[in-house]
Amino acid sequence: MDDAVDINAMLHMVGDFGRYQLLLLCLFSIINVLSAFHYFGQTFIGVVPEYKCNYVGANESVLVGSCHLKIFLDDHLKEIPCPNGWTFKSPYNYISIIQQFDWICGLEWVPALGQSIFFVGSVFGSLVFGVLADKIGRLHCLVASNTLACIGNMVTVYSTDPTCFVMSRFVAGCATDTNFVMMYIIVMEYIRPKMRTFGLNLTIGLFYCLGCMAVPWVAVALGNWWLFLSVISLPNLLIISFYLYVPESAQWLISKGRTSKAIECFKEIARYNRRTIPAKAIDSLKDYCEKHVDALTGKHENLLGLLKTPKLRKKTLILIFKSMVMTLCYDAISRNVNGLGYSPFVVFTITSSTIFPACIFILATQDRVGRKALASGALFVSGLFTISSGIFQAFMEKPVPIIILSLAIIARLSVNIAYNSGAQYAVELIPVVVRGQGVSAIHVAGYAASFFSPQILLLSNLWIPLPDVILGVLLILGAAACLFLPETLDKVLPLTLEDGEIFGENEGIFEFSCCGKSRTMSRADLIE
């Protein structure tokens, strides 16, 4: 190991976990809450209340959830359409968009299509913002996506017909994931490797959990869907002020040959942390960048570079498959709040409370057992419990709500561990020069798979445990795929595509950090 100063060494000099890093984590906390509101807010604008035909008579049978009246005519039982609309019984007197516009009995496709189009927007937006993130920077995309989230939701508030509603959900969906992941990348790249798991997972575990648990009760407190959506959307405009406090990613600046600007960012952080960077260290960093990075900046790398070489292509495809499995299963399990014997508001809050213990578990184990072991193990356990939950429901003669809810909580806890640990794993494996595009493409694949989440849940009409069995099998396949990824614990993250190709060479599929196996290094040694 020589005396060269690389990015990790510079982070050590400006402060491993100083005042500035704490400021970034506080701002990231705001992003977590807003992201939870944006993503799951759509669940509660479209809550389906109980309803029955608004008709009273002597010979009619009015059933809850039925779109028809059953009447006796000439000694025969016949069904006729509800003549006077429906009477709704809303949980906690909350009025959803479905109740306001009567999107039931032939119009159920409107909110379902709106939710699916939201994910189509996520795919489109993530692709566009992913490319922009590697061209114009992470910070600009962070601000733009949060602003777009506000615009899309406010257009939804003023939607009066299905077409406008569906189009507005597309716009809102375009912001999804970019409004979170860009800040995730910036924070990760300004925190030294040994502190990443602690800082990121504690912040996500606490504030994303609080955001998710608060979503249904903010809706209840405000009483109707349009006021709820307005209140949770307008704060996204505050992210514009991040230009005053958040630096552009130094690693992105270096990967673009803008080393001087990156050094300015490091100096600003050092001043805030009451540190001084020696002039010799700055010169050494410049030499390091000229040697390892600057010579490669003229190549204008893009997403296709991840697929050009065999080893990097294999890692990328595994990450894409893993993301599809995790995102699809996470979404399906999170949204499956009906039919458990309790209010969907209560069920969502209870299952969302598992986010915090999941992140605490990650915090306690990920830097001990490593990324690969935790990601693979969590996916396997999640798959096992998901399948067990479905089978248990299928063969219960008299369903017991508390048992079903307990199984749902365990399944949600496991998938939270898999999802949150997997997110950091993907960011660390993708080389810096295409990290924005690569991470966005991986998330795009996940959101594309989530398009099928409602359809998979509907398969319970054919056989009650079928959705859980499908999701469980997918999770176990994802666990097996993770075994073929290299470990990233305590490694210098790959900067270039060449780094990404050699990263993890000669590492076996059952080699884990917790087993004391040899460690994989990038072309640059990790400087402690």
Side-chain angles (χ1 to χ4, degrees):
M1 184 177 298
D2 54 31
D3 295 327
V5 174
D6 66 0
I7 295 172
N8 285 323
M10 184 60 70
L11 288 175
H12 178 70
M13 292 180 187
V14 302
D16 284 346
F17 204 68
R19 296 167 63 211
Y20 202 90
Q21 283 82 359
L22 289 175
L23 173 63
L24 288 179
L25 287 175
C26 288
L27 297 177
F28 186 46
S29 301
I30 297 174
I31 292 292
N32 273 277
V33 174
L34 294 179
S35 178
F37 282 175
H38 179 68
Y39 187 81
F40 289 111
Q42 60 175 334
T43 300
F44 291 95
I45 67 173
V47 169
V48 182
E50 290 185 359
Y51 58 90
K52 63 179 181 179
C53 290
N54 188 19
Y55 190 84
V56 177
N59 298 320
E60 291 76 22
S61 176
V62 182
L63 300 178
V64 174
S66 175
C67 296
H68 297 83
L69 277 175
K70 291 184 177 181
I71 66 171
F72 284 97
L73 186 64
D74 298 329
D75 296 327
H76 294 286
L77 185 64
K78 295 185 178 181
E79 287 189 346
I80 64 171
C82 295
N84 300 313
W86 299 268
T87 298
F88 293 93
K89 183 180 179 182
S90 306
Y92 306 102
N93 296 317
Y94 171 74
I95 301 174
S96 69
I97 193 172
I98 291 176
Q99 179 174 343
Q100 179 169 337
F101 294 114
D102 290 341
W103 284 345
I104 56 174
C105 298
L107 291 175
E108 300 94 336
W109 61 270
V110 178
L113 180 61
Q115 181 173 322
S116 295
I117 292 300
F118 182 92
F119 288 116
V120 174
S122 301
V123 171
F124 178 79
S126 294
L127 285 173
V128 172
F129 279 120
V131 173
L132 290 176
D134 288 328
K135 291 185 178 294
I136 66 175
R138 290 29 167 161
L139 184 57
H140 293 312
C141 290
L142 172 70
V143 173
S145 60
N146 277 276
T147 303
L148 189 63
C150 180
I151 293 172
N153 285 337
M154 293 309 297
V155 174
T156 301
V157 168
Y158 291 98
S159 299
T160 58
D161 60 86
T163 301
C164 186
F165 172 75
V166 170
M167 292 177 63
S168 69
R169 299 322 294 156
F170 174 83
V171 175
C174 287
T176 301
D177 211 43
T178 306
N179 63 335
F180 169 85
V181 76
M182 290 302 149
M183 190 63 182
Y184 185 98
I185 291 175
I186 291 173
V187 174
M188 190 203 74
E189 291 179 346
Y190 276 110
I191 296 180
R192 194 154 157 78
K194 65 181 181 181
M195 300 301 296
R196 284 177 190 141
T197 297
F198 174 80
L200 291 170
N201 284 285
L202 184 62
T203 305
I204 294 172
L206 181 58
F207 290 95
Y208 193 78
C209 177
L210 290 176
C212 288
M213 294 177 67
V215 165
W217 307 111
V218 172
V220 168
L222 295 173
N224 60 72
W225 72 272
W226 61 266
L227 183 58
F228 163 66
L229 195 58
S230 299
V231 169
I232 68 173
S233 301
L234 290 175
N236 286 93
L237 296 178
L238 296 174
I239 306 304
I240 297 174
S241 66
F242 277 32
Y243 278 124
L244 301 175
Y245 311 106
V246 178
E248 183 53 84
S249 163
Q251 293 193 28
W252 175 78
L253 291 169
I254 289 174
S255 72
K256 294 299 180 182
R258 299 169 61 184
T259 305
S260 297
K261 180 63 177 177
I263 290 174
E264 289 180 14
C265 292
F266 285 129
K267 287 181 177 179
E268 182 65 26
I269 295 173
R271 281 194 295 269
Y272 198 90
N273 287 342
R274 299 173 183 174
R275 296 283 191 97
T276 301
I277 304 176
K280 182 179 179 181
I282 293 175
D283 293 336
S284 181
L285 178 62
K286 290 179 179 178
D287 293 339
Y288 174 87
C289 293
E290 289 176 0
K291 178 180 179 182
H292 295 294
V293 182
D294 289 354
L296 300 171
T297 56
K299 291 187 175 181
H300 303 292
E301 304 290 5
N302 56 44
L303 181 62
L304 295 178
L306 292 172
L307 304 176
K308 289 181 179 178
T309 53
K311 297 181 178 63
L312 186 57
R313 179 169 58 245
K314 181 188 75 172
K315 298 168 196 169
T316 302
L317 293 177
I318 291 174
L319 288 172
I320 288 174
F321 175 71
K322 181 170 71 73
S323 177
M324 294 175 69
V325 168
M326 288 194 310
T327 309
L328 170 62
C329 296
Y330 177 85
D331 186 78
I333 293 173
S334 299
R335 296 183 189 279
N336 189 20
V337 295
N338 295 306
L340 298 180
Y342 297 95
S343 160
F345 292 84
V346 173
V347 171
F348 187 86
T349 301
I350 293 175
T351 55
S352 293
S353 67
T354 62
I355 296 173
F356 183 67
C359 288
I360 292 299
F361 182 83
I362 294 170
L363 182 62
T365 60
Q366 186 162 260
D367 284 347
R368 296 176 183 272
V369 304
R371 277 52 162 163
K372 181 166 73 171
L374 184 59
S376 181
L379 284 168
F380 179 79
V381 171
S382 178
L384 193 62
F385 275 103
T386 301
I387 293 175
S388 300
S389 175
I391 297 297
F392 190 80
Q393 291 183 57
F395 293 100
M396 287 180 64
E397 293 184 3
K398 294 182 179 180
V400 182
I402 189 62
I403 296 178
I404 298 175
L405 180 60
S406 298
L407 292 172
I409 290 172
I410 296 173
R412 178 77 183 271
L413 175 65
S414 302
V415 80
N416 279 331
I417 294 173
Y419 188 83
N420 291 330
S421 64
Q424 182 178 342
Y425 200 7
V427 172
E428 291 180 342
L429 277 174
I430 298 296
V432 171
V433 291
V434 290
R435 181 168 289 162
Q437 299 176 60
V439 172
S440 294
I442 289 169
H443 283 274
V444 160
Y447 281 119
S450 295
F451 183 89
F452 299 100
S453 173
Q455 285 73 30
I456 290 178
L457 293 178
L458 285 176
L459 293 176
S460 61
N461 295 329
L462 300 178
W463 188 44
I464 292 177
L466 188 55
D468 289 324
V469 171
I470 292 174
L471 295 173
V473 170
L474 288 173
L475 286 165
I476 291 174
L477 290 175
C482 280
L483 295 174
F484 294 89
L485 292 174
E487 181 58 68
T488 60
L489 177 61
D490 288 339
K491 311 299 187 302
V492 170
L493 304 183
L495 279 171
T496 66
L497 295 177
E498 288 78 5
D499 280 342
E501 176 70 8
I502 67 175
F503 194 86
E505 279 292 285
N506 303 320
E507 183 175 312
I509 62 173
F510 293 109
E511 288 189 24
F512 304 109
S513 293
C514 56
C515 299
K517 296 294 184 179
S518 60
R519 298 192 170 199
T520 302
M521 303 302 289
S522 179
R523 75 166 72 186
D525 291 328
L526 177 66
I527 298 178
E528 294 292 345

